[in-house]
Amino acid sequence: MPRGRSATYEDQREFILAQAAQLFARSGYPATSMNQVAEACGLSKATLYHYYKDKSSLLISIAETHVSKLAALVAEEEASTHTDEERLRRFIYRIVEEYAGAQDAHRVLTDDVRFLEEADRERVLDKEREVVAGFARAVSALRPGAPSDDLAKPLTMLLFGMINWMFTWMKPDGRLDHAAIAPIVADLFLGGIGAVKSPEAPAAPRGARESG
């Protein structure tokens, strides 16, 4: 009977993905070699191939793992009993929180999915569409009288425009971290610029302070 894979095997795979995501995010997928990934991981190239058969499999795993976490987050919040506004605020807070710990993977998802084979790319994009559709439903729920709201998707994409590109301008040592910026995004989107307050300390937005 074949032996199952050990926990250290999965830990090593996750470590390799994190190192590869950092390299892809920094240098771009096409410019990064498997030799560089192996060196960053402190592995021989032969050992690296024991975990991932090629560079494309690394890219697939990085993108799918990241977007699957986002889709699971959306499904969890849609199943909650929060009010419509609380739900959208929690969506915003949790997605920003997820991005904070996965900035390399997010940059790879944003920049490098185009390098995947069509079937793999479509699978990742389908997951992204699930995330957008969940947000669009939450946005539409806050627009009474618009059951077939043709603005829900454009409004959702405007919201993602605020969230998705934070990694291009937020500094790790800046005054505002991701926990502080999330309620600002929610207040700006839901109430306009007059609703935004300067946070005295990083804090989760209303609704997101509650347990899931």
Side-chain angles (χ1 to χ4, degrees), residues 16-77:
I16 292 168
L17 281 188
Q19 295 302 307
Q22 186 177 74
L23 288 170
F24 294 167
R26 182 189 306 154
S27 304
Y29 174 76
T32 303
S33 68
M34 288 293 273
N35 280 332
Q36 290 172 310
V37 175
E39 183 178 351
C41 296
L43 301 172
S44 69
K45 194 173 177 181
T47 301
L48 176 61
Y49 281 123
H50 175 66
Y51 292 95
Y52 291 96
K53 64 180 182 179
D54 53 28
K55 193 169 72 165
S56 177
S57 67
L58 282 170
L59 179 56
I60 292 167
S61 292
I62 292 166
E64 281 196 316
T65 298
H66 182 51
V67 77
S68 292
K69 288 179 180 178
L70 302 181
L73 177 162
V74 168
E76 182 181 332
E77 290 302 331

Side-chain angles (χ1 to χ4, degrees), residues 25-196:
R26 182 189 306 154
S27 304
Y29 174 76
T32 303
S33 68
M34 288 293 273
N35 280 332
Q36 290 172 310
V37 175
E39 183 178 351
C41 296
L43 301 172
S44 69
K45 194 173 177 181
T47 301
L48 176 61
Y49 281 123
H50 175 66
Y51 292 95
Y52 291 96
K53 64 180 182 179
D54 53 28
K55 193 169 72 165
S56 177
S57 67
L58 282 170
L59 179 56
I60 292 167
S61 292
I62 292 166
E64 281 196 316
T65 298
H66 182 51
V67 77
S68 292
K69 288 179 180 178
L70 302 181
L73 177 162
V74 168
E76 182 181 332
E77 290 302 331
E78 285 201 299
S80 74
T81 57
H82 296 296
T83 67
D84 292 336
E85 181 174 337
E86 286 172 340
R87 181 173 294 108
L88 184 56
R89 284 182 176 275
R90 286 179 61 85
F91 272 165
I92 293 169
Y93 177 72
R94 291 191 63 190
I95 211 95
V96 170
E97 182 182 48
E98 183 64 36
Y99 285 1
Q103 292 185 54
D104 291 332
H106 180 58
R107 187 184 285 269
V108 170
L109 180 65
T110 302
D111 293 345
D112 294 331
V113 165
R114 67 185 187 276
F115 297 114
L116 292 174
E117 294 293 330
E118 183 177 359
D120 296 320
R121 183 172 62 251
E122 282 303 310
R123 191 168 62 251
V124 171
L125 292 177
D126 281 345
K127 283 285 185 184
E128 284 191 299
R129 293 179 188 115
E130 285 181 32
V131 175
V132 172
F135 267 75
R137 286 189 291 270
V139 168
S140 186
L142 287 169
R143 289 170 51 79
S148 58
D149 191 357
D150 59 353
L151 284 180
K153 176 78 174 289
L155 287 169
T156 297
M157 298 315 293
L158 286 169
L159 174 58
F160 273 109
M162 284 194 281
I163 297 172
N164 280 351
W165 299 99
M166 286 180 184
F167 67 82
T168 65
W169 59 268
M170 283 191 71
K171 297 179 180 179
D173 56 350
R175 187 176 71 86
L176 296 176
D177 61 11
H178 286 78
I181 206 73
I184 292 175
V185 172
D187 287 342
L188 178 59
F189 186 76
L190 289 165
I193 197 165
V196 176

